[in-house]
Amino acid sequence: MPEPNAVEGLIQALRKLPGVGVKSAARMAFHLLQNDMPGALQLARALEQAVNSVKHCQLCNTLTERAICATCSSPQRDRSKLCVVETPADQAALERTLAYQGLYFVLMGKLSPLDGIGPKEIGLKKLFDRVAAAADSQTPLSSEAVGAREVQEVILATNFTAEGEATAHVIAQALKSRGVQVTRLARGVPVGSELEYVDLGTIAHALVDRR
Amino acid sequence: MPEPNAVEGLIQALRKLPGVGVKSAARMAFHLLQNDMPGALQLARALEQAVNSVKHCQLCNTLTERAICATCSSPQRDRSKLCVVETPADQAALERTLAYQGLYFVLMGKLSPLDGIGPKEIGLKKLFDRVAAAADSQTPLSSEAVGAREVQEVILATNFTAEGEATAHVIAQALKSRGVQVTRLARGVPVGSELEYVDLGTIAHALVDRR
């Protein structure tokens, strides 16, 4: 039986990872120490580097090492569209589609009152400030200000879970009064799926939103 | 989209963990950086500490921070029994049963010729040397030498997979000629299971090994 010190400490630390229980953690620890010492050191360095260098983008709130992330500072992005997502992972999924060229705003969470996560815990105020700044610059309606690529459409791409839907609803309510177009990702039948195996709620939404 | 540097490096490093693909790695990285920076640092330190301090026990080959591990150096263990397991995780599983008070020998692997893992890659020579030393001290048959708690029984507890069985077979063949009793964990129907759902091979073994 290994001593409770280093190996046990490593197993406990690995359990901090989401989806890793004590058995997986033990398997990971033993694997690293038996077969992949360089991998373990690489992971240790990557963790330290990420913790020390990663912060939130001042514009879109995503994780980045710069004050303004690569997406926000890219001149190629369409600055009239702002896509609101819950996490950087959701953002990465949208980026992989190559179907969206606008900017993002990453909430870093979702409204979840039962867990004590309200508008302050996620980036809602930062989002509203950003859109408000855009709306203000729109009020004089100088075509140049609009042409200056400010937010004209907010696309809500929070998850289609209860919390994600609630978050989308709150954002939509708050933004509609500010004169910004607010849209939501389409609900419907996933590509490649057979109707027989799709859940009823999805089919009902696909019927209502038919085009 | 986060920059490819620190976050991407962390995702790549997390993929070194067994059973972690790119999606799980991304989820882990974003979780740590969003919600658990202290956990990330703790994991980094635990990894470094384990890599720097953990080595193999000189007697049983398991992972430990000392020259001789706690189990091998415990005066409470029955030194006449030596249980051969593949990994420290298997050893930990046996320890949790509280049913075994002997010593262990941890192979740190199993014979797997297709993967190029032969007797040299796992600790077979160390095991044979250890048992040979015990057998030599038995040859003069001074009752004191036998009483000096040397190995009299080797219990093969490698896994019941093709490679584990082959490893057990090789060890059994090598040790039988050295006058040591060699036993194997019993095969049979798992506790709590219904015959209807147990695979045929297991039932056949349980029939043959009935008592």
Side-chain angles (χ1 to χ4, degrees), chain A residues 73-206:
Chain A
S73 52
S74 162
Q76 261 107 56
R77 312 295 299 208
D78 176 358
R79 279 159 197 280
S80 67
K81 292 189 177 63
L82 189 70
C83 181
V84 179
V85 294
E86 292 180 16
T87 65
D90 297 337
Q91 182 189 10
L94 278 163
E95 280 294 282
R96 277 198 295 273
T97 67
L98 302 176
Y100 180 68
Q101 286 301 315
L103 297 180
Y104 289 93
F105 189 88
V106 184
L107 295 171
M108 289 291 167
K110 58 205 163 192
L111 290 179
S112 182
L114 289 178
D115 302 322
I117 298 174
K120 278 181 199 164
E121 275 67 41
I122 62 178
L124 282 194
K125 187 171 179 307
K126 199 166 165 182
L127 170 63
F128 295 154
D129 288 350
R130 169 127 182 233
V131 177
D136 289 347
S137 74
Q138 259 180 331
T139 351
L141 257 182
S142 78
S143 67
E144 203 194 343
V146 178
R149 304 175 300 180
E150 289 297 354
V151 179
Q152 289 165 37
E153 179 182 357
V154 172
I155 301 164
L156 299 175
T158 54
N159 289 326
F160 287 90
T161 58
E163 293 95 344
E165 293 276 23
T167 309
H169 181 76
V170 167
I171 297 174
Q173 289 303 314
L175 291 187
K176 266 173 188 159
S177 63
R178 298 181 198 209
V180 183
Q181 191 188 1
V182 178
T183 56
R184 180 91 170 100
L185 282 195
R187 278 172 298 210
V189 180
V191 173
S193 63
E194 297 175 50
L195 279 189
E196 185 180 350
Y197 302 110
V198 173
D199 70 294
L200 299 184
T202 299
I203 294 180
H205 275 301

Side-chain angles (χ1 to χ4, degrees), chain A residues 1 3 6 64-65 70-71 91, chain B residues 1 3 6 64-65 70-71 91:
Chain A
M1 186 84 174
E3 269 77 62
T64 175
E65 288 162 78
T71 307
Q91 182 189 10
Chain B
M1 185 82 174
E3 268 77 62
T64 176
E65 288 162 78
T71 308
Q91 182 188 10

Side-chain angles (χ1 to χ4, degrees), chain B residues 181-200:
Chain B
Q181 191 188 1
V182 179
T183 57
R184 180 88 170 103
L185 282 195
R187 279 171 296 208
V189 180
V191 174
S193 63
E194 297 176 51
L195 278 190
E196 186 180 349
Y197 302 109
V198 173
D199 69 292
L200 299 183

Side-chain angles (χ1 to χ4, degrees), chain A residues 44-88:
Chain A
R45 280 193 298 268
L47 282 163
E48 269 176 7
Q49 206 203 325
V51 166
N52 291 330
S53 66
V54 170
K55 46 190 182 280
H56 292 287
C57 170
Q58 288 173 12
L59 279 179
C60 77
N61 208 25
T62 197
L63 298 170
T64 175
E65 288 162 78
R66 305 197 240 162
I68 308 287
C69 74
T71 307
C72 286
S73 52
S74 162
Q76 261 107 56
R77 312 295 299 208
D78 176 358
R79 279 159 197 280
S80 67
K81 292 189 177 63
L82 189 70
C83 181
V84 179
V85 294
E86 292 180 16
T87 65

